[in-house]
């Protein structure tokens, strides 16, 4: 079992889809404990554990759900050909089992994509949306306009991950001896340089809860005639976020358009306009040889893509606000918890 902080309650929720691990906190304000809850959805290589300090700081109830293959939830396979629908359908089933609808939903990184898919498929469950460092809405391996860089989404999916990092996840490595250890990746990529909050062991524990293999993290892949020689497969989580399978731009034409708060860190190393977590950037900077150039393999403008889709969302009747945490990386809710909570609660109050 995972480490649960005092004041947070843990339970398993049985649905018709999976046995899900769920954390709940009642809120610090007794007068607000009947308020609509805030539902928190984590990202890749993490779990609901990452939300515990925030949950304990919120005045109103909160719920954090471990996605399949993470935390203490079932390690069910991910059908990548459905994009992130396996995960969003799981979240919907948990909310149904808990008797919750019209909730305020927060999605971090991959969880941001899960939240947008939930809006597309079950809009009655969503009252407001907060996206923190969300996956680009076109998926990985796409140009600014969302079109794939190659027809088969070369350079994306399960074969693009560092094999030593996966091996260290499998081994439960808690060291910081190598750049590919989970602890080192947390320090270099999840947060801005110099961040330390005394809870790093908990964050590493959360990362190590990630199930590995072709059906989960990272997934499978296929050979490609295009650089860098591989493309997205049909199984596992990284393929589910490839442009080959993921398209969340339907939110622009959605009949229900809750207000969106988009929070991102200025020093985000993972979701950025030229992220070293994607192969075209690695090629451009000579880290992966043979790069065919900007026209064939441009670094993905992830921030610009998200902004363009949200601008279109606003133009078609929705509304959003972008907030940049200048001192934060990929995890503003950890790096500046007080400000994150303030922004979140203001957004929630405006949409209650």
């Amino acid at each position: 079992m995972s480490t649960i902080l005092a004041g947070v309650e843990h339970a398993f929720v049985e649905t018709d889809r999976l046995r899900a691990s769920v954390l709940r906190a009642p809120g610090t304000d007794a007068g607000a404990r009947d308020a609509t809850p805030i539902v928190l959805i984590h990202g890749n290589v993490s779990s609901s554990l990452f939300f515990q300090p925030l949950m304990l700081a919120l005045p109103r109830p909160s719920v954090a759900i471990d996605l399949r293959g993470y935390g203490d939830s079932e390690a069910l396979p991910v059908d990548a050909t459905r994009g992130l629908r396996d995960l969003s359908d799981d979240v919907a089933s948990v909310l149904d089992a808990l008797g919750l609808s019209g909730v305020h939903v927060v999605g971090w990184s991959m969880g941001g994509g899960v939240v947008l898919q939930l809006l597309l498929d079950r809009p009655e469950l969503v009252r407001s949306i907060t996206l923190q460092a969300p996956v680009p809405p076109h998926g990985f391996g796409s140009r600014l306009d969302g079109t794939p860089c190659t027809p088969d989404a070369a350079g994306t999916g399960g074969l693009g991950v560092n094999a030593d990092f996966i091996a260290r996840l499998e081994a439960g490595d808690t060291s910081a001896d190598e750049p590919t250890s989970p602890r080192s990746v947390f320090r270099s990529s999840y947060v801005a340089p110099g961040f330390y909050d005394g809870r790093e062991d908990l964050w590493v524990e959360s990362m190590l809860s990630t199930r590995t293999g072709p059906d989960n993290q990272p997934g499978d892949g296929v050979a490609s005639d295009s650089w860098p020689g591989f493309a997205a497969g049909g199984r596992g989580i990284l393929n589910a976020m490839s442009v080959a399978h993921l398209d969340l731009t339907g939110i622009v034409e959605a009949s229900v358009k809750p207000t969106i708060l988009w929070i991102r860190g200025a020093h985000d190393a993972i979701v950025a306009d030229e992220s070293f977590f994607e192969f075209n950037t690695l090629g451009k900077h000579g880290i992966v040889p043979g790069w065919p150039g900007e026209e064939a393999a441009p670094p993905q403008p992830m921030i610009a893509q998200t902004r363009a889709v949200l601008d279109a969302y606003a133009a078609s009747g929705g509304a959003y606000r972008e907030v940049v945490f200048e001192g934060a990386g990929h995890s503003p809710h950890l790096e500046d918890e007080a400000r994150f909570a303030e922004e979140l609660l203001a957004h929630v109050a405006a949409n209650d």
Side-chain angles (χ1 to χ4, degrees):
M1 283 293 298
S2 298
T3 300
I4 309 300
L5 300 182
V8 176
E9 303 167 358
H10 173 265
F12 288 105
V13 175
E14 300 281 353
T15 81
D16 59 357
R17 293 183 55 80
L18 83 165
R19 187 175 191 243
S21 175
V22 176
L23 301 183
R24 304 184 79 161
T28 60
D29 183 353
R33 289 179 180 174
D34 291 330
T36 302
I38 296 171
V39 176
L40 303 148
I41 307 300
H42 66 82
N44 190 23
V45 194
S46 65
S47 73
S48 62
L49 296 186
F50 267 94
F51 289 123
Q52 290 187 95
L54 176 65
M55 296 171 75
L56 291 171
L58 293 174
R60 61 196 292 154
S62 56
V63 177
I65 302 169
D66 282 340
L67 300 170
R68 65 170 60 192
Y70 301 91
D72 293 316
S73 285
E74 274 191 273
L76 299 176
V78 174
D79 179 356
T81 66
R82 303 187 71 230
L84 291 170
R85 279 190 173 91
D86 272 357
L87 306 186
S88 62
D89 286 351
D90 290 347
V91 169
S93 74
V94 172
L95 296 179
D96 288 342
L98 293 175
L100 297 175
S101 64
V103 296
H104 301 284
V105 191
V106 178
W108 173 34
S109 195
M110 178 185 73
V114 174
V115 166
L116 293 181
Q117 191 64 62
L118 184 69
L119 171 63
L120 289 171
D121 296 337
R122 294 288 305 277
E124 77 280 4
L125 297 177
V126 180
R127 183 171 300 184
S128 77
I129 290 175
T130 299
L131 303 175
Q132 179 183 221
V135 57
H138 304 286
F140 293 112
S142 54
R143 302 175 185 272
L144 178 59
D145 65 0
T147 57
C149 293
T150 66
D152 61 353
T156 70
L159 296 183
V161 73
N162 185 296
D164 192 58
F165 174 66
I166 298 299
R168 290 174 182 274
L169 280 179
E170 290 177 346
D173 180 9
T174 62
S175 76
D177 296 340
E178 298 292 339
T180 50
S181 76
R183 190 179 299 271
S184 296
V185 170
F186 172 83
R187 292 175 180 176
S188 66
S189 305
Y190 280 46
V191 293
F195 173 79
Y196 184 74
D197 64 355
R199 292 192 173 106
E200 190 174 85
D201 287 347
L202 182 58
W203 312 143
V204 173
E205 176 187 338
S206 178
M207 295 173 73
L208 291 173
S209 75
T210 303
R211 299 348 184 270
T212 58
D215 283 318
N216 296 104
Q217 173 72 24
D220 64 359
V222 297
S224 174
D225 292 332
S226 299
W227 182 89
F230 66 88
R235 301 159 60 196
I237 201 64
L238 293 188
N239 295 302
M241 291 186 282
S242 166
V243 67
H245 305 303
L246 185 66
D247 182 4
L248 302 167
T249 61
I251 63 169
V252 172
E253 303 302 329
S255 57
V256 177
K257 291 187 174 71
T259 304
I260 295 174
L261 172 63
W262 173 26
I263 296 177
R264 63 182 183 87
H267 302 283
D268 194 336
I270 297 175
V271 176
D273 279 346
E274 197 161 308
S275 168
F276 282 86
F277 277 73
E278 65 104 18
F279 263 75
N280 291 354
T281 297
L282 296 175
K284 177 179 178 178
H285 290 271
I287 298 169
V288 177
W291 182 59
E294 290 272 358
E295 183 175 348
Q300 185 167 352
M302 301 180 193
I303 302 301
Q305 285 180 322
T306 296
R307 188 177 296 118
V309 170
L310 291 180
D311 282 346
Y313 181 82
S316 63
Y320 85 96
R321 185 167 65 96
E322 178 181 355
V323 177
V324 181
F325 282 40
E326 294 296 340
H330 191 61
S331 314
H333 75 286
L334 292 185
E335 298 167 88
D336 194 343
E337 178 192 297
R339 184 184 174 196
F340 187 91
E342 180 182 4
E343 295 283 1
L344 172 61
L345 290 170
H347 176 62
V348 165
N351 293 280
D352 252 343

